[in-house]
């Protein structure tokens, strides 16, 4: 079991930077026809600013681009912006890349950036405002010339360039704001990216064509087709039979058999966390009862119960057995060693005796029943993880009934409050962004707590996080984030389970696949085999 091992991303090739800025330019020997990808990501909208989910970030990155890009060490690199600098505590200047065009032929300029920010900040509202927290601190944005953007913030926002590494830039229409409904109704997405939109079937497929006029060089593939296959075994089968060239989210248990059948595998540690989250707000919860099946007061309001369940969770089984070593046990939101993590937080081995004592002290000497919900097929080992956690909790008298569902179903029910405790996962650009989204008190105006479905509130943590976010990027900020993390993890609003490794399989038509810790699946990461 890997307890608290530091995060050391795989050393990627120098080509990675060019790949994720846009697309690795093709040479005549490399150029190929259609690239076929089986993906677990189920794209549900063509609006690049509707929801901050990896399926949107991954698939729509072929069409749209960001001002700033994060490399494999999560360091910031130029994208559509070539440079940026603070002019004061509340003013930033971004210089833009020249001679960039949208797919409809119109020139990219500062007005498009202004439109992008204003659309997210002023037009899209929750639940469609998944990126709103990134721009909520922007007071004004202007374009003094076509290649310069000036941003004025309400207060100091030292992390503003990092926020822009998540926001896709849209083309300003002739009037008004484009609605999500219009974008989904067949109005062709118009970005600056290496591939153009061809067709889309919600939750089923996405087809793209090469943008021959792409500013970053001619992409390697003339066509790209994404086929949504949510079932991991079906993705593995499609790769094994040659139906597809690339398959993402390969289960660790299938790596050896894929290699035996001639496929190759790439993996990298993920900048993300999978966890159990509690509803700590409501007085009673669906699926939570005493041993006779009668409803009881919400036990998760008591930190002793949350601590007991944490001590009764065997992360070793999850990492070693379910993930077959392709993961690291978690005690915080990012793997140890990344900026903002705490060296003091290390995963604990289970202690069932102490867990039983804490349950008894909390008034549950005989335990209780619950339904443990989670998605099936979205994350490596998700359904199996539900079973393993349930078996661990049974040892202290907490009888958990696993309830796995397709992610679209699970996500809808979770948002509707149908669950009292659930397994989930999230990724982000940095530690503070996950803390801001997952654990900060829900506040639509401030844009905090968008993924805090358990409605956890901790004013001391909120204050510590706000202080950390006010500090410029560097060691002092990282130390403040680590301290805030230590405080909130002591209260156990979630149980961090593991940081899984992204695993992608690819066939003979592929020369190499370059993984990124954010877990994107794109044609730009896929280089054709040389003849």
């Amino acid at each position: 079991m890997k307890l608290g091992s530091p995060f050391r991303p795989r050393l990627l090739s120098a080509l990675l930077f060019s790949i994720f800025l846009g697309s690795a330019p093709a040479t005549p020997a490399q150029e190929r026809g259609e690239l076929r990808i089986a993906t677990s990501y189920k794209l549900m909208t063509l609006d690049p600013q509707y929801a901050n989910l990896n399926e949107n970030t991954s698939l729509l990155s072929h069409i749209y681009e960001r001002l700033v890009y994060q490399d494999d060490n999560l360091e910031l690199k130029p994208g559509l912006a070539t440079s940026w600098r603070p002019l004061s505590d509340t003013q930033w200047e971004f210089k833009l890349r020249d001679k960039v065009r949208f797919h409809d032929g119109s020139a990219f300029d500062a007005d498009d950036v202004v439109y992008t920010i204003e659309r997210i900040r002023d037009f899209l509202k929750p639940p469609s405002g998944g990126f709103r927290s990134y721009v909520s601190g922007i007071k004004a944005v202007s374009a003094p010339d076509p290649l310069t953007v000036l941003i004025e913030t309400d207060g100091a926002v030292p992390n503003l360039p990092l926020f822009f590494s998540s926001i896709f830039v849209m083309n300003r229409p002739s009037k008004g704001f484009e609605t999500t409904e219009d974008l989904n109704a067949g109005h062709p997405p118009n970005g600056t990216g290496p591939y153009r939109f061809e067709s889309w079937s919600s939750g089923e497929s996405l087809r793209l064509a090469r943008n021959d006029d792409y500013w970053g060089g001619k992409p390697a593939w003339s066509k790209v087709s994404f086929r949504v296959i949510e079932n991991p075994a079906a993705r593995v089968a499609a790769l094994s039979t040659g139906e597809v060239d690339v398959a993402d989210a390969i289960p660790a248990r299938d790596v050896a058999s894929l290699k035996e059948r001639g496929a190759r595998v790439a993996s990298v540690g993920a900048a993300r966390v999978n966890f159990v989250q509690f509803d700590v707000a409501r007085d009673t919860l669906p699926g939570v009862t005493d041993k006779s099946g009668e409803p009881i007061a919400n036990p998760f309001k008591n930190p002793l119960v949350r601590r007991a369940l944490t001590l009764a969770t065997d992360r070793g089984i999850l990492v070693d057995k379910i993930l077959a070593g392709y993961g690291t046990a978690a005690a915080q939101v990012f793997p140890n060693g990344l900026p903002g993590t705490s060296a003091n937080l290390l995963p604990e081995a289970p202690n069932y005796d102490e867990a039983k004592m804490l349950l008894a002290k909390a008034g549950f000497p005989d335990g209780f029943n619950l339904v443990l919900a989670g998605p099936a097929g979205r994350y490596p080992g998700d359904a199996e993880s539900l079973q393993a956690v349930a078996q661990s909790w049974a040892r202290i008298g907490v009888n958990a009934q696993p309830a796995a569902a397709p992610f679209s179903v699970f996500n809808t029910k979770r948002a509707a409050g149908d669950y009292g405790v659930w397994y989930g996962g999230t990724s982000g650009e940095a530690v503070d962004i996950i803390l801001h989204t997952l654990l900060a008190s829900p506040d639509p105006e401030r844009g905090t707590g968008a993924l805090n479905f358990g409605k956890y509130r901790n004013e001391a943590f909120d204050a510590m996080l706000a202080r950390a976010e006010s500090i410029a990027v560097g060691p002092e900020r990282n130390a403040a984030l680590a301290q805030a993390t230590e405080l909130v993890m002591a209260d156990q609003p979630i149980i961090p389970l593991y940081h899984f490794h992204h695993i992608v399989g690819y066939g003979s038509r592929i020369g190499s696949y370059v993984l990124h810790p954010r877990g994107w699946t794109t044609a730009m990461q896929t280089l054709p085999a040389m003849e």
Side-chain angles (χ1 to χ4, degrees), residues 128-146:
S128 59
F131 296 90
R132 194 178 183 194
S133 63
Y134 299 136
V135 299
S136 59
I138 294 177
K139 182 178 180 181
V141 56
S142 60
D145 64 63

Side-chain angles (χ1 to χ4, degrees), residues 379-439:
Y379 309 114
D382 48 15
E384 297 93 336
S385 293
L386 286 181
Q387 296 284 347
V389 171
Q391 291 171 9
S392 290
W393 288 359
R395 297 185 61 171
I396 64 170
V398 175
N399 296 330
Q401 177 186 345
F407 179 73
S408 57
V409 175
F410 163 78
N411 198 36
T412 299
K413 288 190 173 185
R414 179 179 60 178
D418 289 355
Y419 304 134
V421 55
W422 55 89
Y423 162 99
T426 188
S427 63
E429 303 85 346
V431 162
D432 53 304
I433 289 178
I434 292 188
L435 295 176
H436 190 94
T437 305
L438 182 65
L439 297 173

Side-chain angles (χ1 to χ4, degrees), residues 343-367:
N344 298 322
L345 291 175
L346 299 175
E348 300 175 273
N351 187 330
Y352 300 109
D353 291 337
E354 184 177 350
K356 288 180 181 178
M357 291 174 57
L358 290 173
L359 269 188
K361 188 175 181 180
F364 300 97
D366 299 322

Side-chain angles (χ1 to χ4, degrees), residues 3 57 66 89 98 114 127 146 169 226 233 258 262 285 345 349 365 383 395 399 405 477 481 487-489 497 501:
L3 292 176
T57 299
R66 312 168 183 85
D89 286 344
D98 195 9
V114 173
V169 176
F226 283 91
L258 271 177
L285 298 174
L345 291 175
R395 297 185 61 171
N399 296 330
R477 180 189 183 94
L481 288 171
L487 183 142
V488 73
M489 285 299 133
L497 298 178
H501 294 178

Side-chain angles (χ1 to χ4, degrees), residues 100-315:
V100 175
R101 293 195 171 275
F102 286 93
H103 296 161
D104 66 357
S106 60
F108 160 71
D109 62 25
D111 280 341
D112 300 306
V113 179
V114 173
Y115 169 77
T116 291
I117 293 171
E118 290 179 343
R119 182 176 188 263
I120 296 171
R121 186 192 62 188
D122 304 331
F123 181 67
L124 293 178
K125 305 297 182 184
S128 59
F131 296 90
R132 194 178 183 194
S133 63
Y134 299 136
V135 299
S136 59
I138 294 177
K139 182 178 180 181
V141 56
S142 60
D145 64 63
L147 296 179
T148 303
V149 176
L150 292 180
I151 294 175
E152 182 180 353
T153 60
D154 287 320
V157 186
N159 228 18
L160 188 64
L162 176 64
F163 293 164
F164 285 132
S165 71
S166 286
I167 294 173
F168 288 124
V169 176
M170 295 180 66
N171 181 226
R172 179 187 285 276
S174 57
K175 59 181 179 179
F177 293 107
E178 286 187 285
T179 67
T180 300
E181 291 73 21
D182 287 342
L183 289 167
N184 288 339
H187 187 264
N190 185 29
T192 61
Y195 290 92
R196 301 170 182 266
F197 174 82
E198 277 203 339
S199 66
W200 168 63
S201 179
S202 178
E204 295 182 8
S205 64
L206 175 69
R207 296 187 62 84
L208 306 165
R210 179 169 55 205
N211 176 14
D212 289 327
D213 298 324
Y214 180 59
W215 63 266
K218 187 177 179 181
W221 304 95
S222 62
K223 299 279 187 179
V224 179
S225 62
F226 283 91
R227 177 181 164 194
V228 179
I229 303 179
E230 291 188 273
N231 183 278
R235 285 196 303 278
V236 170
L239 178 61
S240 299
T241 59
E243 294 177 43
V244 298
D245 303 303
V246 175
D248 67 15
I250 297 295
R253 64 175 179 270
D254 292 319
V255 168
S257 62
L258 271 177
K259 289 181 177 180
E260 289 175 359
R261 285 176 277 180
R264 285 174 288 173
V265 170
S267 70
V268 70
R272 62 172 304 118
V273 66
N274 284 68
F275 53 85
V276 170
Q277 189 172 34
F278 304 103
D279 184 323
V280 298
R282 289 180 287 177
D283 292 332
T284 58
L285 298 174
V288 180
T289 70
D290 63 17
K291 289 300 183 68
S292 65
E294 294 298 318
I296 58 175
N298 182 354
F300 308 129
K301 287 189 174 186
N302 191 329
L304 294 178
V305 173
R306 303 196 297 268
R307 176 63 180 157
L309 292 173
T310 300
L311 285 173
T313 301
D314 190 343
R315 296 172 176 87

